[in-house]
Structures are given as structure tokens and as C-alpha cells.
Amino acid sequence: MLLLAASSEQSKEFANHFLLHFHFHILDVSTVSTTPSNPFSQVGLIFLITYLLKATRYQKKAAAETITPSPHLVNGKKLSDSSCQTSLSCIKLLDSAQSEAPRALFKLAFIVIFTFFSVCELGHISFQNTYLQLLPGLNITAQEAAEIATLTAVTYTVGRAVSVPVSGLLSSGTILNVHLCLCLLAFGAFFWSATQCRLWLAVNSALAGYALSPIRSSMFAYVNTYTTADDRLNALFFISICIGSVFSPLIIGPYIGVLPSVLIYVDLVSISVALVAFIAVQVLVCQKTCSVQKSQSTATVEEVVQQVGAIN
């Protein structure tokens, strides 16, 4: 009993000493964080808190994924419970072990789409004012070019706001097809509007801004429909976007002073490549969907035959 009492007294003394030391440590941290001699003390605490929050969020997400598996998506639609039971696992279309090659082609195609679309989008936004001021015959001033560019930014922002309710009615694939074709129409119309009055040029610029608005977000939504967009894949996509922002000034800048229409040529070529790559992606998804449906129908027929044999 004496030993237990002594050990309890020592533990209490150790606890009090630890709490007192921890209290002074907190006071010292708060004091240092307010002094200009150590401006990075608060940054460390912020990073620690952010890390703990993210770790908690990822643990909850991992627990939820282990409890409820991902729905099996075929062409953007969730299978029924009976169809899900006949499949090997309820996962997305391109996440199965048998889809390694189609998944690699899918990701590679979207890297190409992100790269060329960013060349078009960032190049057009960056050099639009220069293009408008260098157009022959219209004599557009810097102020007028800025007003037209502002109109493009307004329609771009409004288009993104409109795409939120529209995405509930149309699939991301439909939105991408419509707006990529609308981009081709808008950029091709610049060859005509550049020879007309400033009003038509402003209308054409507004149409281009609206056509570009929902494409990037719809691409992310389309990718996440058919495969899991993890951090590594998203990093590849953002690197592709940055590559486009690097190459667009190198392609457009040296030639726009001599030939202003080089901006429109680059826009048309970039959107055309992105559209062709997206058509190839849709063909790949369609083929994979047909093979999955065929395997599911075969499994259903075999199950029916087994049930009939068991009855007989």
C-alpha cells in the first residue's frame, strides 16, 4: 500500500509538472508568435491543424468507402442492385482490373484534351486585347478592346453559373460536345466579324466566352464518372493545364504583331484536337460499356440456366 501511495504521488507530481510545463510552452508559443522575431511560428501551427483536419477527413472517407463500395457506373448510369450482384464488384466502368489498357488510354486522351484546351482558353484570354487592337480597318482603341474583353469575361462567368443547373439536366458528355462545337463556331466566326463593325465583333467575343465557360469543369466531371480521379491523376491534369499556359505565349506572341489572325488559327486547331480526342474517348467508353453489358447478360443467362437445371 505504501508503494502504491508513493507511486500515485509520483504520478500526480509528474502530471502536474507536465501540465505546468505544457502551460508555459503554450504561453511561450503565443508570445513568440506575436513577436516579429519569429514570424513562422504561427505558420507551423496552421500547417499542423490543416494536416490533422485532412487526416481526419481522409480517414472518414476511407471508412465510408470500405463500408459502402462505389456504384457500378455504365455510361454514366448506376446499375441496379440485381445487376450489381451479378458483376464481380460494384466499381466504376474503368476501375476494374480488366480495364487497365482502356483506363490508360482514357487518361492519356484527357491529358491531351486538357493541354490543347488550355492552349486555346489561356491563349485567347491573354492575347484578345492585342488581337482586337491590331485588326486592320477597325481601328479599335485600347479602351474599346478592354470593354470587349470585359464582355467576354462577363459571359464566361455567366456561362459557368448557368452550367450549374444545366448539369443537372444534361450529362457532362453532352455539355462537352455542345460547347466544343460552339467554340469551333465562335472562333470560326471571327474571320467574318473581324471584317464587320465593332458590334458584331463584341457579340462574337461574348459568344466565345460563353462557349469556353463550362468545358473545364465538365471535363473533370466526365473523368470522375468513369474512373476514380485521385490526387495523382488530378495533378497530371493540372500539369497539362500549366503546359498549355506555357506554350500559348510561345506560339502566339512572336507572330501576332505580323498576323493577328494567328490567335484564331491556334484557337481553332487546339479546339479541333481536343474535340477529336474527346470523340475517341467516347468511342472507347462505348466499347467498354458494350463489353460490360455483354458479360453481364452472359452471366444472367448462365444463372437462369443453372436455376432451371436445379428445378428439373
Side-chain angles (χ1 to χ4, degrees):
M1 294 295 291
L2 292 175
L3 291 174
L4 289 175
S7 62
S8 63
E9 290 295 332
Q10 290 178 356
S11 62
K12 288 181 181 179
E13 184 180 357
F14 175 76
N16 292 331
H17 177 73
F18 176 77
L19 291 175
L20 185 63
H21 175 73
F22 183 75
H23 177 70
F24 281 113
H25 179 69
I26 295 296
L27 291 177
D28 183 63
V29 169
S30 62
T31 305
V32 172
S33 63
T34 57
T35 58
S37 60
N38 190 5
F40 297 102
S41 58
Q42 291 182 349
V43 177
L45 292 175
I46 292 173
F47 275 117
L48 178 61
I49 294 171
T50 305
Y51 172 77
L52 293 175
L53 291 175
K54 285 188 175 182
T56 305
R57 180 168 61 88
Y58 284 133
Q59 288 177 356
K60 291 181 179 179
K61 182 179 179 182
E65 288 179 351
T66 55
I67 295 173
T68 57
S70 316
H72 194 141
L73 295 177
V74 175
N75 200 15
K77 298 179 180 179
K78 187 168 73 172
L79 292 176
S80 61
D81 294 337
S82 59
S83 300
C84 184
Q85 291 174 0
T86 57
S87 62
L88 295 177
S89 58
C90 296
I91 57 178
K92 294 182 180 181
L93 181 65
L94 297 176
D95 282 349
S96 61
Q98 297 81 9
S99 304
E100 292 184 1
R103 183 169 62 250
L105 292 175
F106 182 87
K107 295 177 180 179
L108 179 61
F110 262 97
I111 289 174
V112 173
I113 294 171
F114 273 105
T115 301
F116 279 90
F117 176 73
S118 63
V119 169
C120 170
E121 183 184 37
L122 300 174
H124 187 81
I125 293 174
S126 301
F127 291 95
Q128 183 182 11
N129 288 359
T130 306
Y131 166 76
L132 294 172
Q133 294 179 61
L134 293 177
L135 285 176
L138 294 179
N139 298 324
I140 297 177
T141 62
Q143 181 179 357
E144 292 171 344
E147 292 174 354
I148 295 176
T150 302
L151 181 61
T152 304
V154 168
T155 56
Y156 185 89
T157 305
V158 171
R160 286 203 163 183
V162 170
S163 66
V164 174
V166 171
S167 62
L169 302 175
L170 301 176
S171 65
S172 56
T174 303
I175 294 175
L176 283 172
N177 284 319
V178 171
H179 279 267
L180 286 173
C181 294
L182 194 60
C183 283
L184 288 177
L185 176 63
F187 292 132
F190 273 108
F191 291 109
W192 173 80
S193 62
T195 60
Q196 305 299 316
C197 62
R198 300 170 189 174
L199 176 61
W200 283 112
L201 194 61
V203 172
N204 198 354
S205 299
L207 179 61
Y210 176 75
L212 290 169
S213 58
I215 292 180
R216 185 178 296 180
S217 57
S218 297
M219 285 193 289
F220 279 105
Y222 189 88
V223 169
N224 196 44
T225 301
Y226 296 103
T227 187
T228 301
D230 54 4
D231 294 340
R232 183 170 52 185
L233 183 59
N234 288 329
L236 288 175
F237 290 157
F238 279 104
I239 290 172
S240 303
I241 294 172
C242 294
I243 290 174
S245 64
V246 169
F247 279 100
S248 56
L250 298 177
I251 298 172
I252 301 170
Y255 306 103
I256 194 169
V258 181
L259 182 65
S261 298
V262 69
L263 175 64
I264 308 304
Y265 287 121
V266 171
D267 291 339
L268 287 173
V269 171
S270 302
I271 290 295
S272 299
V273 173
L275 181 59
V276 170
F278 185 62
I279 291 173
V281 166
Q282 293 177 94
V283 172
L284 177 67
V285 169
C286 183
Q287 291 177 348
K288 184 61 180 176
T289 303
C290 292
S291 64
V292 170
Q293 291 177 348
K294 184 178 179 181
S295 62
Q296 288 176 354
S297 61
T298 303
T300 304
V301 170
E302 291 178 355
E303 183 180 357
V304 171
V305 170
Q306 291 176 0
Q307 291 178 356
V308 171
I311 294 173
N312 293 333

